[in-house]
Amino acid sequence: KLNWFRFTNSETRGATMPFRTYEAEEGTSGGGAVKDENADVKVASSGKSYVQLDRTGDYVEWTNVRDADRLMLRYSIPQNTNGTLSLYVNGVKRQSLELASTYNYDTDDSSYKRRYDDQDAAVQINAGDTIRLQRDEGDVLPWYGIDLIELETAPAPLAMPAGYLSVKAAPYNAAGNGAEDDTAAIQAAVNDAASKGKNVWLPAGTYNQSGKIAVPSGVDIRGAGMWYSHLHSTVTNNVWGGTVGFTLNNDTTISDLRISGVQTQRNNQYAIVVLTNPGAGQRNVLQNLWVEHVGCLEGWTDWSDSTIQNVRIRNTYFDGIHWGDGGNNGNLARNNFMRGLGDDGVAQVNLQNFNAVANHNVAEFNTISANYWGRGMSDVGGDSLIYRDNILDSSFNAGMIITTEPVADPAKNEISYPINGLKFQRNTINKAGHAGHNHAGLHYWLYVNPMKDVRIELNTIENGETQGIHIDNTAFGDSEGRTQFNFNTVENNALDNYQNASTIIVPVLKGNVGIDNSPE
């Protein structure tokens, strides 16, 4: 008798990026270097593990690496310090990496386990080389936490396409030197482009901005590539959206830029790279971007039928991508890499103080790693959400949370809509949660509204520090459309693989590995 088939997907989960990652704990340590010495650093690490260099001569190295001309180091050092660390290739010192703790910590709240920042360097490396990070005599900080390196070959800079206005050309004359403020020059180029039916080009350079750039509908903004064209906000404040990035309308593509800010805390700093004007936010595209040291890439704004793809989001203070306001619908987030975020990587948070329900949003083939707060992904109300083929690794709390909750003030109706249709399929959740906290790899908490028609299928949930799957005993259930758990693998989680504390959420279990395939 044949009861069921198991279908699998041959595509690789997670984002496909041009760099290769080498975790420190998988390298070779020497000279007295130790793993995981500081618990607060460990819990914020990729893979929940790192190597610490405490004494002169301590090192970590990787052998037989790939060829590259760019190296990215993810590091932790003591707060309010700066110093150097020595980089060797094949036993020969190439350079001293300049490190600072400016963005390693949340300066306003010690409860956030933010401990890491990234530093990139140009260095020529050939396939088969050995790379070593070593504490030499001149490297005098009390300790260095090494999480990983990434190696990449940067592509050649792009050339300006036809139909674009360069912000460095007259009459705009942007400096692009990382010293002068180029806000007015960029805005003037954008305004001219709108009137002439053209687009805007940012040649190689660093462009300081002190205010958001307002972009009319139909104007694209493009740079020479994320390694070459850099838009940097120099001002931090508590104004919603901050001074970084752009305010869009409709039908705009922002691409091929590195975008950064000077945020150093989560509380009262609201830098969001992309906002939209009320009633707009349709058919926009964000692609080939590198975003860091800001609050969020895109969120808390009107955003529909729009795409975010091939973006790197690193070292932010809240969500990477946030959908829900104004009934965000028809959006796609695809092939994005996020690490070191201060909240959820992709969140749909749909509150009833907005008169429209979020629906038909899709996040697929994304990698979200080492959130130091929040979850990898979340569904907090709304309809027909799809999360598929993602990797959610080493999140501080749950890898994925399915919840209806009072997000802010219930008296103002700031509670989430019910969940009506969620497909969470072919995702990997690895090493979610932390000891002493109840967030599971996949966690349910239905506090203010019910859910229905939720399908959890063909996922791998493993190596969690608490439970693989946990359903809380809360006031609302799934009686209108039972939750389906089909063909998941749930293994090697520290407490239980599966625990249902609810009597009114009654999942249908079929073909799973690691959990009992009968309702509790």
Side-chain angles (χ1 to χ4, degrees):
K1 181 180 179 180
L2 186 62
N3 293 317
W4 47 265
F5 289 98
R6 177 185 290 270
F7 293 96
T8 59
N9 180 18
S10 61
E11 290 191 80
T12 302
R13 296 176 184 178
T16 300
M17 288 283 136
F19 54 81
R20 180 172 173 183
T21 301
Y22 298 83
E23 295 280 352
E25 65 272 18
E26 296 174 359
T28 301
S29 302
V34 295
K35 293 182 181 179
D36 307 331
E37 186 166 306
N38 185 314
D40 285 343
V41 177
K42 177 181 181 293
V43 77
S45 301
S46 170
K48 299 289 180 75
S49 185
Y50 78 105
V51 172
Q52 186 157 310
L53 313 181
D54 290 324
R55 293 161 295 276
T56 299
D58 286 1
Y59 68 86
V60 58
E61 69 179 15
W62 301 265
T63 59
N64 196 32
V65 300
R66 59 160 286 179
D67 60 315
D69 59 14
R70 296 292 191 278
L71 179 146
M72 179 72 71
L73 167 64
R74 188 169 197 246
Y75 69 93
S76 184
I77 56 177
Q79 193 166 12
N80 302 316
T81 65
N82 61 78
T84 60
L85 182 64
S86 298
L87 170 66
Y88 287 78
V89 179
N90 295 331
V92 177
K93 184 173 179 178
R94 288 285 185 88
Q95 57 184 284
S96 292
L97 302 176
E98 299 283 345
L99 308 179
S101 69
T102 307
Y103 303 106
N104 286 74
Y105 297 82
D106 190 299
T107 59
D108 192 51
D109 192 325
S110 61
S111 66
Y112 299 124
K113 300 299 184 186
R114 185 182 180 99
R115 293 295 183 272
Y116 282 101
D117 195 23
D118 293 346
Q119 178 63 51
D120 60 281
V123 57
Q124 193 62 47
I125 297 166
N126 298 315
D129 284 351
T130 295
I131 295 176
R132 174 180 291 193
L133 294 170
Q134 180 169 294
R135 179 174 176 169
D136 286 347
E137 287 188 2
D139 305 326
V140 297
L141 293 181
W143 53 267
Y144 299 79
I146 310 301
D147 190 21
L148 55 83
I149 61 169
E150 289 167 345
L151 298 179
E152 177 175 356
T153 299
L158 301 170
M160 184 175 76
Y164 278 73
L165 303 177
S166 171
V167 299
K168 283 190 172 182
Y172 320 115
N173 300 317
N177 59 12
E180 300 177 52
D181 191 307
D182 288 319
T183 308
I186 297 171
Q187 188 64 67
V190 168
N191 294 344
D192 264 7
S195 67
K196 297 175 180 178
K198 294 183 178 294
N199 299 304
V200 174
W201 176 254
L202 273 65
T206 297
Y207 301 87
N208 286 351
Q209 70 174 139
S210 57
K212 267 183 148 47
I213 307 300
V215 184
S217 292
V219 175
D220 295 342
I221 298 177
R222 190 177 186 186
M226 64 177 67
W227 288 104
Y228 307 104
S229 298
H230 184 183
L231 183 63
H232 178 62
S233 173
T234 60
V235 178
T236 182
N237 55 39
N238 61 0
V239 175
W240 181 250
T243 61
V244 66
F246 309 93
T247 301
L248 305 185
N249 287 283
N250 303 319
D251 302 298
T252 285
T253 296
I254 307 291
S255 66
D256 303 293
L257 293 169
R258 182 173 181 172
I259 303 173
S260 63
V262 290
Q263 269 53 52
T264 61
Q265 65 189 54
R266 175 183 172 114
N267 296 338
N268 301 313
Q269 292 188 1
Y270 305 113
I272 300 175
V273 173
V274 172
L275 293 178
T276 60
N277 285 312
Q282 299 175 29
R283 299 176 301 279
N284 293 304
V285 177
L286 309 179
Q287 63 184 14
N288 305 328
L289 302 175
W290 173 357
V291 175
E292 62 185 345
H293 304 150
V294 298
C296 174
L297 169 61
E298 177 277 321
W300 293 273
T301 194
D302 290 346
W303 192 255
S304 294
D305 298 316
S306 295
T307 299
I308 300 173
Q309 60 187 4
N310 307 325
V311 174
R312 309 177 192 188
I313 308 173
R314 293 174 172 169
N315 307 311
T316 67
Y317 291 87
F318 34 102
D319 296 345
I321 297 169
H322 182 103
W323 293 323
D325 293 1
N328 294 172
N329 65 85
N331 297 303
L332 174 65
R334 192 177 201 273
N335 201 57
N336 303 293
F337 184 93
M338 311 178 202
R339 186 176 63 222
L341 309 189
D343 215 320
D344 304 350
V346 181
Q348 178 169 292
V349 184
N350 189 204
L351 307 185
Q352 293 183 172
N353 57 316
F354 293 95
N355 293 321
V357 177
N359 63 90
H360 293 97
N361 295 308
V362 177
E364 61 182 11
F365 298 103
N366 302 285
T367 295
I368 301 169
S369 174
N371 299 37
Y372 64 88
W373 191 256
R375 294 73 56 117
M377 289 179 152
S378 63
D379 185 354
V380 193
D383 295 358
S384 304
L385 177 64
I386 298 175
Y387 289 156
R388 61 191 175 204
D389 299 296
N390 303 287
I391 294 176
L392 312 176
D393 188 75
S394 305
S395 56
F396 185 72
N397 291 321
M400 168 67 181
I401 193 166
I402 300 166
T403 179
T404 60
E405 59 187 46
V407 176
D409 186 353
K412 296 179 181 179
N413 213 24
E414 293 173 340
I415 64 174
S416 58
Y417 279 98
I419 293 170
N420 178 11
L422 164 67
K423 293 180 180 179
F424 188 77
Q425 298 169 319
R426 300 188 304 270
N427 303 286
T428 295
I429 298 176
N430 183 50
K431 296 186 178 180
H434 59 280
H437 195 270
N438 70 344
H439 268 204
L442 177 67
H443 199 96
Y444 285 79
W445 192 62
L446 301 182
Y447 188 72
V448 297
N449 269 309
M451 65 180 177
K452 65 179 180 180
D453 301 333
V454 172
R455 302 183 72 91
I456 311 297
E457 298 173 318
L458 292 164
N459 303 285
T460 301
I461 305 172
E462 59 188 358
N463 305 318
E465 296 194 25
T466 59
Q467 295 158 331
I469 299 170
H470 179 80
I471 303 172
D472 271 320
N473 181 23
T474 47
F476 293 87
D478 64 349
S479 60
E480 292 189 18
R482 292 298 183 191
T483 301
Q484 303 281 323
F485 284 92
N486 299 323
F487 313 114
N488 303 283
T489 298
V490 189
E491 294 181 320
N492 301 319
N493 297 285
L495 300 181
D496 301 300
N497 286 328
Y498 177 79
Q499 183 182 74
N500 186 359
S502 173
T503 59
I504 57 175
I505 299 175
V506 186
V508 177
L509 307 175
K510 182 185 296 183
N512 300 285
V513 175
I515 63 177
D516 182 10
N517 290 290
S518 60
E520 291 190 359

